[in-house]
Amino acid sequence: MRKSILTTSLLCFMMIGQCNAEPSEAAMDEYQAALQLSPDLENGKRVYRICTVCHAPEGWGLESGAYPQVAGQLRTVIIKQLADIRARNRDNPTMLPFTSPQLLGGAQEIADVAAYISQLPMSPHNGVGPGMDLAWGEQLFKDNCTECHGDRGEGNLEDHIPAIYGQHFRYLLRQFEWIKMERRRNADRKMVKQIHNFTHRDIYAVLDYVSRIRPPQEKLAAEGWQNPDFPKFARPVDLHSGAGYMIDQRAERPNRQ
């Protein structure tokens, strides 16, 4: 009897471990499948229509950090995140319905929309932090981030490591804190360990610095640019500022002595 219970317990444990592994495996399978396909930009534009609900036609997100800037992101990163969310290897209740096969499609559509988004020009005015501890932030970035994200935050196409230059400060802040708290299931384990002892000051300083790294000029949109692929999209004046919340227009805080 005891042997039977032990065997059953062991099988249950193995099954739990197998279930936990399945989302990441399913996501990686779809990622690899999408990489093998030739993207169709015209179809990517059609697929992206559903994305404009949150990310807007330009893909610039909101300075409030509610939605990230996805324009100009590396194609492999977009594919990986879409596959992870769909396979529930990354918890994102807002995005999950939009990644369903009924709305998004299959691996081909993921390849198509990722290619379309990656070629969109980036906002010339992403949200930045308070700018009070930039020297310390730069040092932290050089010591901890460049090995994976690159000297200029350009990411790594082959290893699907995201470009972080030009990203909104408040979005960076939220994702960093979730990774530190291990709420991002698909987070790189090396990064989770590396930032474990980051203090509140460290987090604000390094992400403020990162938010101020300018993307290459050729990746930036011209002033006043609007995506011509969606001419009928109604844009509020303060669309990309998060309902008028402009981080850089807050009153400056006095420097602490």
Side-chain angles (χ1 to χ4, degrees):
M1 182 67 177
R2 182 179 298 174
K3 183 177 180 181
S4 176
I5 294 173
L6 180 61
T7 303
T8 303
S9 299
L10 181 60
L11 286 171
C12 289
F13 177 78
M14 291 173 65
M15 288 176 68
I16 291 170
Q18 187 178 28
C19 289
N20 286 340
E22 283 177 2
S24 60
E25 292 171 3
M28 187 53 70
D29 287 346
E30 187 157 50
Y31 170 77
Q32 295 293 349
L35 285 184
Q36 303 305 314
L37 300 169
S38 298
D40 179 344
L41 284 179
E42 191 62 31
N43 188 49
K45 178 177 71 175
R46 288 193 291 270
V47 175
Y48 185 68
R49 186 180 303 276
I50 192 67
C51 309
T52 62
V53 174
C54 298
H55 294 284
E58 291 70 42
W60 293 352
L62 299 177
E63 289 187 20
S64 66
Y67 305 112
Q69 168 154 233
V70 293
Q73 183 56 264
L74 301 177
R75 180 176 63 92
T76 56
V77 173
I78 299 169
I79 292 173
K80 180 65 166 59
Q81 295 307 310
L82 287 174
D84 277 344
I85 292 169
R86 170 142 70 186
R88 304 197 178 201
N89 190 43
R90 175 182 172 183
D91 295 321
N92 190 323
T94 303
M95 274 286 294
L96 184 61
F98 294 95
T99 64
S100 68
Q102 292 81 5
L103 284 180
L104 181 58
Q108 182 65 63
E109 284 71 26
I110 288 179
D112 296 346
V113 75
Y116 178 79
I117 294 170
S118 68
Q119 55 85 49
L120 289 174
M122 299 176 69
S123 170
H125 303 294
N126 64 288
V128 299
M132 295 175 58
D133 210 358
L134 296 178
W136 180 235
E138 181 179 12
Q139 188 61 54
L140 288 168
F141 177 77
K142 290 179 178 178
D143 292 345
N144 295 276
C145 309
T146 56
E147 181 181 347
C148 296
H149 290 283
D151 292 339
R152 295 293 300 167
E154 69 273 16
N156 186 299
L157 183 69
E158 184 176 348
D159 292 335
H160 50 77
I161 296 173
I164 51 179
Y165 55 30
Q167 188 55 266
H168 301 303
F169 168 71
R170 292 195 175 276
Y171 179 78
L172 290 170
L173 184 63
R174 185 172 74 252
Q175 295 303 313
F176 194 97
E177 289 177 340
W178 284 358
I179 291 171
K180 188 173 186 291
M181 296 164 59
E182 300 190 39
R183 288 184 59 186
R184 272 283 297 261
R185 193 181 307 178
N186 68 342
D188 181 74
R189 301 311 302 174
K190 180 182 175 182
M191 180 177 176
V192 174
K193 183 178 180 180
Q194 189 170 14
I195 68 175
H196 179 71
N197 292 320
F198 269 45
T199 65
H200 182 77
R201 178 199 173 191
D202 295 338
I203 294 171
Y204 265 71
V206 71
L207 298 181
D208 192 356
Y209 175 79
V210 168
S211 72
R212 294 168 186 270
I213 300 176
R214 294 283 285 176
Q217 189 62 38
E218 63 270 17
K219 288 185 70 72
L220 293 175
E223 291 289 341
W225 182 82
Q226 292 186 345
N227 191 342
D229 291 336
F230 299 92
K232 296 182 180 180
F233 189 90
R235 299 169 175 83
V237 174
D238 57 1
L239 171 64
H240 296 294
S241 66
Y245 177 52
M246 299 290 287
I247 292 174
D248 278 346
Q249 291 182 3
R250 292 179 295 171
E252 292 187 4
R253 292 184 238 173
N255 292 326
R256 295 177 182 173
Q257 300 298 326

